[in-house]
Amino acid sequence: SAGGPGGTTLAMGGDFQGTITAITSACTPTSVSVTNEAGDEVIHTVQCADGTTTATGHPSGSSWGAHLEALDLSDPSSPIVKWIIMPWPAGYENVMGGTRVDSAGNVYAVGYRSAPPASGEATGTQYCPDCDVVQAGVVAKFAAADGALLWMKEYSYLGHVAQVELDESNGVIFVSGEMKDGSSDLGTCVGGTCAMLACLSASDGATHWARHIHHGASSGNSFRGDGEVHLGKDSDGPYVYVSYNGERGSGWTNGPTTVDAGTPYAGCKDANGVVTPEYT
């Protein structure tokens, strides 16, 4: 995603095994040690030397490490890597989803990381289904200058957070993901899994509101197009559009799709007074 002063900052996120090296203008050394379910020590590092940043994590096996970087495109013919970080290290995989950049060059990023189960049966992760861990959705904001963490929200009841959209004029971001059965500060999901859309404060990540599509879901792959979020044009009204797969990508297998009761959705009224809801 692009943004920042003059639209010259490009943010890129992904996941990898091994080592990533880049010539950078800013580098903050870090070293994080995480013990996985098997009792093995997994070390994530960012090393700085002579203007070079080297990020290392998850060297082998069915684990993946997330990375996030910002590039300066002031000279399109010669882009400069401003910084590269490992945003939320974990004992097993940690995966990056969507990114957005504000006018100051700060970067918003979403995805998931593996975490120990809080209670009940662990479900494993996308790349390690037999691991005794669960996926937890993550939303975070990083500083324009060096990628320093400004705030991070981790949600144990979200299998992942897929995409993010920025509404800077109103100081909010919209995030989509997959919510597990139960209740939380992001509302209530009924019926196994729910597709989720939430509005969060851009300044601190506080929840403004959340809505769910019951029986809907994203496929679990944060880097795929499902869950993509877009703001409507000014001429269209103050609307947010989001796309989801049916549960497990096979359509709406659990019956009619419903939205949260009591939600005031907008719509169009025809000459006979029949209202067609905007969200259908």
Side-chain angles (χ1 to χ4, degrees):
S1 60
T8 58
T9 298
L10 179 69
M12 299 195 303
D15 35 282
F16 74 104
Q17 294 177 326
T19 298
I20 294 176
T21 300
I23 305 299
T24 52
S25 58
C27 180
T28 303
T30 59
S31 180
V32 179
S33 174
V34 184
T35 301
N36 65 21
E37 180 267 347
D40 301 323
E41 184 182 29
V42 179
I43 300 177
H44 303 261
T45 64
V46 175
Q47 297 175 312
C48 309
D50 301 324
T52 300
T53 296
T54 302
T56 303
H58 287 319
S60 62
S62 52
S63 297
W64 295 78
H67 82 283
L68 176 65
E69 57 188 279
L71 294 90
D72 184 351
L73 300 181
S74 299
D75 180 359
S77 65
S78 181
I80 300 171
V81 178
K82 295 173 63 176
W83 46 260
I84 180 171
I85 62 171
M86 303 184 67
W88 41 73
Y92 283 103
E93 78 250 19
N94 46 108
V95 173
M96 279 286 306
T99 63
R100 283 294 183 269
V101 184
D102 65 20
S103 60
N106 301 311
V107 179
Y108 302 84
V110 300
Y112 71 80
R113 68 186 299 271
S114 58
S119 61
E121 183 179 356
T123 59
T125 62
Q126 179 180 332
Y127 296 112
C128 190
D130 296 327
C131 297
D132 188 22
V133 293
V134 294
Q135 290 178 196
V138 180
V139 182
K141 181 179 181 180
F142 302 91
D146 56 5
L149 179 65
L150 299 179
W151 56 259
M152 184 172 78
K153 298 290 183 178
E154 183 172 327
Y155 307 96
S156 60
Y157 38 81
L158 293 182
H160 72 285
V161 183
Q163 301 291 341
V164 57
E165 180 61 285
L166 170 65
D167 181 0
E168 193 166 7
S169 62
N170 290 302
V172 297
I173 58 174
F174 299 92
V175 298
S176 66
E178 184 176 86
M179 188 173 180
K180 305 167 189 176
D181 194 8
S183 296
S184 69
D185 61 329
L186 291 182
T188 300
C189 169
V190 179
T193 59
C194 296
M196 185 279 302
L197 173 68
C199 178
L200 309 179
S201 166
S203 62
D204 60 8
T207 301
H208 286 194
W209 54 258
R211 299 289 182 264
H212 310 90
I213 302 295
H214 298 292
H215 309 311
S218 298
S219 65
N221 296 323
S222 300
F223 44 81
R224 296 172 75 171
D226 52 297
E228 191 165 344
V229 183
H230 293 283
L231 297 177
K233 297 179 181 179
D234 291 342
S235 59
D236 187 37
Y239 300 129
V240 182
Y241 297 91
V242 60
S243 62
Y244 289 107
N245 289 334
E247 187 177 33
R248 302 188 186 279
S250 58
W252 306 109
T253 58
N254 289 326
T257 301
T258 60
V259 294
D260 296 334
T263 302
Y265 289 93
C268 299
K269 183 183 290 186
D270 65 15
N272 297 319
V274 176
V275 176
T276 301
E278 176 76 16
Y279 64 83
T280 50

